[in-house]
Amino acid sequence: MQKVFGRPEALADVPTHYCPGCTHGIIHRLIAEVIDELGVRERTVGISPVGCAVLAYDYFNCDFVEASHGRAPAVATGIKRASPNSVVFTYQGDGDLASIGAGEIVHAASRGEKITVIFVNNAIYGMTGGQMAPTTLPGQKTTTSPRGRDPEVAGHPIRVCELLSSLSGAAYIARVSVTSPANVAKARRAVKKAFETQLEGKGFSLVEFLSTCPTNWGMTPVEALKWVDDKMAVYYPLGEYTRVPEVG
Amino acid sequence: MGEKVLMKGNEAVAEAAIMAGCRCFFGYPITPQNEIPEYMSRRMPEVGGVFLQAESEVAGSNMVYGAACAGARVMTTSSSPGISLMQEAISYMAGAELPCVVVNIVRGGPGLGGIQGAQSDYFQATKGGGHGDYHLLVLGPSTVQELVDLTMEAFDLADMYRNPVMILGDAILGQMMEPVEMRKRPPRADLPPKTWATTGAAGRPKNVITSLYLDPAKLEKHNLRLAEKYKRMAAEEVRYATHMTEDADVVLVAYGTTARIARAALDRARERGLRVGLFRPISLWPFPYEALATAAAGAAHVLVVEMSLGQMVEDVRLALGETKPVHFYGRTGGMSPSPREILDDIVKIVERGA
Amino acid sequence: MHEEVIFAGFGGQGVLLMGQLVTYAGMMEGRNVTWMPSYGPEMRGGTANCGVVVSEKEIASPLVSEPTSVVAMNRPSLEKFQGMVRPGGLIIYNRSLVDVKPARNDVRVVAVPANQIADEIGDVRVANMVALGAYLGVTRVVGVDTVLEAMKKVLPERRHGLIPLNQQAIARGMEIAVSASAAR
Ligand SMILES: Cc1ncc(C[n+]2csc(CCOP(=O)(O)OP(=O)(O)O)c2C)c(N)n1
Ligand code: SF4
Ligand SMILES: [Mg+2]
């Protein structure tokens, strides 16, 4: 049973600390709706990252664990292996997942770990005040790339979906955004597929959200949504990243 | 005296490093020291130096290892959780005898903890931190000026002893602004040349930098040689400051920011006619054991104040043995003691002890 | 002279700048100074404050736990800090945003309609400068001319155009301080 306007049961009835126009909140809601729809709230264990979503454990109404920066996929692996009937998901930012936790995510995916990863890519370090992220776009100014990211020096942005989809253990990988009602609907379907992939025991699943950070981008919420469409979605194309078929 | 500028501790530490000839910085953002990498990202390109935001503290500290191998003056900075991740590289650098400067702008722990200032990494900094028999030289500044001066000196000390040097600050020191005089400080003239650096074996036998000694007898020998170096450091590099300890009945012992709060309590105690003094260790390793014993010789009581549940107090007890009661007052988790709390404790001790 | 002051308000009201100006001016006048801000996520949309010490003596603690003055730009700040002020100290509060009276009768209280005055002179964003003017007028911790000099150092070049407006705001705040003193 899906309630469209009410609060999903898997979402706690508390105000969040997210800035106005930040899309972390919508993403929380979509996950909670899917958990409700699949009826798995009481089996679900979430892992929160170190990043703006660190307090996700306050916002979801299910069991939750706080991991150290970048290690959520390893913590999730431990939980899932010890308790295979649990539905385990991580919620990670781009710094958490693609920078300090790049090792953990690659190996969780390559092992085909039966967990679901929600990857929130806002092209910046939100929580620490706007430093460069591994997903910061070329030329994008941040507090540690004050002249704009120069790929010669700071390297190129990492396309996580493309990277992980080359691994045989990755069963479902998709990139979505929440910039319009149509995109929100697609995002919801992707989250549902990802959790279903886990429930069916098929392997590793990940949904990357292109998300906003109006605060550290120095934009209004409306400008920020437009920047996701005009800039981020160009470098990071939306869609499903089909799994590479197993060879041999 | 040169002109003073008003600077945040974090920015001052960055500029001090540049003035001391540091041209390589590797780091990873973490509150409450983000101003350091942010400052470096602006300044390093201006002076032809390297700024690189690493993918993690594990990587960043190993980049430091690499740059030190290449003979560069190199620094990394972080705060508690990040410093924990650097322990591997720090141990390797101590083992391979590589000079570098590591700044810890300490915040409350354990685990993710909080972002307010603390002194709960004292054990980690002074008693090991990583694996193996080794020591860092650890300096605990208490003003922004001292932070600047010790940071500059740290590069010389690192080169002198071929050892990592740690600056143990805290979030208050990093975030506060205070006037500082930025005196350029060229490297000391008597530093040994870095003939060991791996810069290419042109016209010399090849250099190898390693901390691996599979033969335990050789590893023991290596450790004993390091121990000789630590002994020299302990003899030469002890630093401390005292204030009104000569006639003191109660000697406060505190380092870093806490020493300043203790000093405020001392001033109030003196206004009330209580004879209170302050002993402030500046080198935390080597700890000024003998100097403390001397400074506290005439006192009836010693009160150790820390922003932790009592870590340095163990060194104070080592210094003083059973000669007199060593009391402790601490706040933790990012809380700091107030002068009034310390004063209350002093009064209690005096009333109880007299 | 030994002043320990807390400037407090919500993020975006410019309370850190108020403190920096006093600190910088204090340094220019040859005093010892320290400035310590609140920081981190608590700043985001929440409250901001800084503690400033200006003293003839060497400054021991940079943490202000018993301020001689508090300048509160909004109600939560007044409520948070008023209890800490030393007896005989000073509370200045932004009457435009605070609809209660301070609960202390052992300190001096000056109410400043900072937003209202800032609005009158054309930009509500200089409300902080109005309150700063009142603070300087009452305490004379540092000279106004020095604060204006400090502004050139503290503000980035691109914001120097705002200095005349800030100066006007400070002057209006000082007038309030003067009339408050006269009314005593
Ligand atoms: C070991 C360690 N290093 C650094 C930090 C500081 N830190 C906290 S959050 C964060 C990055 C947050 O960025 P991201 O993961 O992109 O999440 P966002 O806030 O943008 O959602 C960092 C570097 C930490 N807590 N622990
Ligand atoms: S800082 Fe950015 S990512 Fe964090 S809550 Fe605010 S807008 Fe969202
Ligand atoms: Mg991010």
Side-chain angles (χ1 to χ4, degrees), chain A residues 24 52 93-96 120-127 133 135 213:
Chain A
H24 265 304
C52 275
D94 40 67
D96 195 82
V120 181
N121 175 3
N122 58 9
I124 207 153
Y125 285 15
M127 167 157 244
T135 49
C213 181

Side-chain angles (χ1 to χ4, degrees), chain A residues 24 49-53 68-69 71 92-97 100 120 122-128 131 133-134 213, chain B residues 28-31 34 57 78-79 81-83 85 107 112:
Chain A
H24 265 304
V50 178
C52 275
S68 68
H69 194 25
R71 316 299 176 212
Q92 303 178 256
D94 40 67
D96 195 82
L97 181 141
I100 194 167
V120 181
N122 58 9
I124 207 153
Y125 285 15
M127 167 157 244
T128 42
Q131 295 81 12
C213 181
Chain B
Y28 187 76
I30 185 167
T31 311
N34 289 318
E57 293 86 350
S78 189
S79 179
I83 296 287
L85 286 181
R107 62 188 232 183
L112 193 49

Side-chain angles (χ1 to χ4, degrees), chain C residues 3-7 19-20 22-23 34-35 50-54 64:
Chain C
E3 170 76 354
E4 299 188 19
V5 51
I6 291 174
F7 296 96
Q20 274 186 25
V22 171
T23 311
T34 60
W35 174 89
C50 61
V52 173
V53 185
V54 182
V64 178

Side-chain angles (χ1 to χ4, degrees), chain C residues 56-109:
Chain C
E56 239 121 53
K57 296 181 302 183
E58 185 190 333
I59 295 170
S61 175
L63 300 179
V64 178
S65 54
E66 293 165 46
T68 42
S69 307
V70 162
V71 180
M73 294 299 290
N74 64 358
R75 183 168 166 173
S77 301
L78 178 68
E79 283 164 353
K80 181 167 178 191
F81 293 110
Q82 62 175 345
M84 289 162 63
V85 182
R86 291 185 202 183
L90 169 71
I91 294 176
I92 291 183
Y93 71 101
N94 180 6
R95 203 177 63 203
S96 309
L97 297 184
V98 182
D99 50 7
V100 294
K101 288 227 159 70
R104 295 278 299 266
N105 48 23
D106 58 342
V107 300
R108 192 156 169 219
V109 174

